[in-house]
Amino acid sequence: MANEIKTVITAGGIGTRLLTATKEIPKEMLPIYALDYKGQICMRPLFEQIFHQAFLMGIRKYCVVVGKQKRTIEDHFTPDFLFINKMLSNENAVVNDLKILYKRIAESSIHWVNQIGTHGFGHAVLMTETFVGNDEFIVLAGDTLILSKSISPLQKIIDTKLEGEYDAAILVRQVHDPRAFGVATLVKENNELIIKKVVEKPKNPETNIAIMPVYRFKPSIFSMLKEIKYGKNELQLTSGIQKLIDNGGKIKAIMLTKSDIVLDVGTPHSFYEAQQLSMKNVKLSPR
């Protein structure tokens, strides 16, 4: 069943921590283990798995933010029937997997936005304002996939309606070292976790609650981002979120459980871990 919620997927970063591998290959296209349509182990780009997961949850309206070096992603999401025809003489699971991907692409509306320069996560989101319009929308980072043994965290975000005073809902989780993340300070109000403060990669974090790159926003986030001054030529999404809080906005936190599995390809260590976790939990992969 199709879901009308609009979804933004950002993939405009350079992937500097994975150079030189990411000089020509976007980090979002790095492979993880998955299952093909026959249930056999295969490898797919992480970004493709993010799309499959969202599609299987009913999402059909996408805006993908890419950088000038991200043509690889656009090419991968452009149906190549010439390649399929060449492979038909050697019929295998790869051909049928591509057919499934192309069918899902055809059933979706995908808008592409080019982010010129490396101006940060917040800038990437701001560039989608025309696509979003006056609607609520979801934001996903193209280098992070979250799997679950129970209810998918993405499904929880999809099911969360921002009624009344709520301006956003954000996934969070407890981590051992939060210094590499946006960090949230939470309070509990009426059995809900509410975010009272966010800081981007603090040297001395107040909490061990890390923000995961899965969000649901009202369009009010755009006006907040427009008020923020760029730091080191970058506009951080956390700055817009904090501005929202400072202006009286209310943000719900959805805590990941210990059984939820985060696949992140942002660093050499996390990419190695993502491959191990994707193989270990391959039956949870969207297909």
Side-chain angles (χ1 to χ4, degrees):
M1 182 177 177
N3 190 304
E4 290 299 311
I5 188 73
K6 295 175 180 176
T7 297
V8 169
I9 307 178
T10 63
I14 296 177
T16 53
R17 290 175 292 183
L18 290 165
L19 288 170
T20 58
T22 50
K23 171 61 173 64
E24 302 298 333
I25 302 173
K27 63 181 177 179
E28 294 84 0
M29 292 298 290
L30 291 173
I32 59 170
Y33 292 97
L35 293 180
D36 63 23
Y37 82 105
K38 286 186 175 181
Q40 301 299 311
I41 291 176
C42 66
M43 299 199 82
R44 291 199 187 116
L46 184 136
F47 189 94
E48 182 183 330
Q49 288 297 84
I50 291 172
F51 170 74
H52 283 308
Q53 184 185 67
F55 183 93
L56 291 170
M57 292 180 188
I59 295 174
R60 297 292 183 271
K61 297 179 180 179
Y62 302 88
C63 182
V64 183
V65 182
V66 293
K68 64 179 181 180
Q69 76 279 30
K70 301 299 175 103
R71 188 60 60 84
T72 305
I73 300 176
E74 293 185 50
D75 287 347
H76 189 71
F77 276 77
T78 301
D80 186 352
F81 295 105
L82 180 61
F83 179 82
I84 286 179
N85 290 335
K86 286 182 178 179
M87 294 291 291
L88 283 176
S89 59
N90 184 27
E91 182 75 17
N92 54 42
V94 173
V95 173
N96 286 286
D97 258 21
L98 281 174
K99 287 180 178 178
I100 291 170
L101 173 62
Y102 294 165
K103 183 176 184 295
R104 290 176 179 175
I105 290 171
E107 293 175 2
S108 302
S109 173
I110 304 178
H111 299 260
W112 299 91
V113 172
N114 288 313
Q115 183 182 25
I116 307 303
T118 54
H119 298 304
F121 196 6
H123 179 260
V125 172
L126 185 56
M127 292 187 67
T128 68
E129 184 177 13
T130 301
F131 166 77
V132 170
N134 295 318
D135 300 318
E136 291 183 19
F137 66 109
I138 289 171
V139 175
L140 308 174
D143 62 358
T144 304
L145 172 69
I146 302 176
L147 305 177
S148 181
K149 296 177 181 178
S150 55
I151 300 174
S152 167
L154 176 56
Q155 188 65 59
K156 292 178 183 178
I157 286 285
I158 291 171
D159 293 341
T160 299
K161 301 295 187 293
L162 300 177
E163 298 173 337
E165 57 191 336
Y166 287 104
D167 283 272
I170 301 174
L171 289 186
V172 298
R173 70 163 173 162
Q174 296 182 351
V175 297
H176 294 298
D177 185 0
R179 290 174 296 176
F181 300 89
V183 174
T185 300
L186 309 180
V187 296
K188 200 165 188 178
E189 296 180 3
N190 299 320
N191 293 320
E192 296 276 12
L193 290 175
I194 306 299
I195 297 177
K196 287 299 184 181
K197 181 180 178 181
V198 295
V199 181
E200 183 66 24
K201 298 178 182 176
K203 291 182 180 179
N204 298 297
E206 292 183 2
T207 76
N208 69 336
I209 306 299
I211 295 172
M212 296 291 98
V214 181
Y215 314 78
R216 184 174 183 135
F217 290 112
K218 285 181 177 177
S220 52
I221 188 64
F222 295 122
S223 59
M224 299 298 103
L225 287 168
K226 290 174 184 177
E227 293 183 17
I228 301 297
K229 292 183 179 180
Y230 284 55
K232 296 182 180 179
N233 202 38
E234 290 193 351
L235 176 60
Q236 295 297 342
L237 184 57
T238 44
S239 298
I241 294 169
Q242 185 59 49
K243 190 75 171 177
L244 197 59
I245 295 170
D246 293 341
N247 281 271
K250 199 167 185 179
I251 301 175
K252 183 184 299 186
I254 298 175
M255 183 72 71
L256 295 187
T257 69
K258 292 182 179 180
S259 65
D260 294 328
I261 300 147
V262 179
L263 307 182
D264 172 9
V265 297
T267 69
H269 176 79
S270 67
F271 174 49
Y272 173 70
E273 187 177 58
Q275 288 198 317
Q276 288 185 309
L277 287 172
S278 63
M279 174 62 87
K280 184 178 178 180
N281 299 280
V282 71
K283 291 183 179 180
L284 301 178
S285 64
R287 60 190 178 101

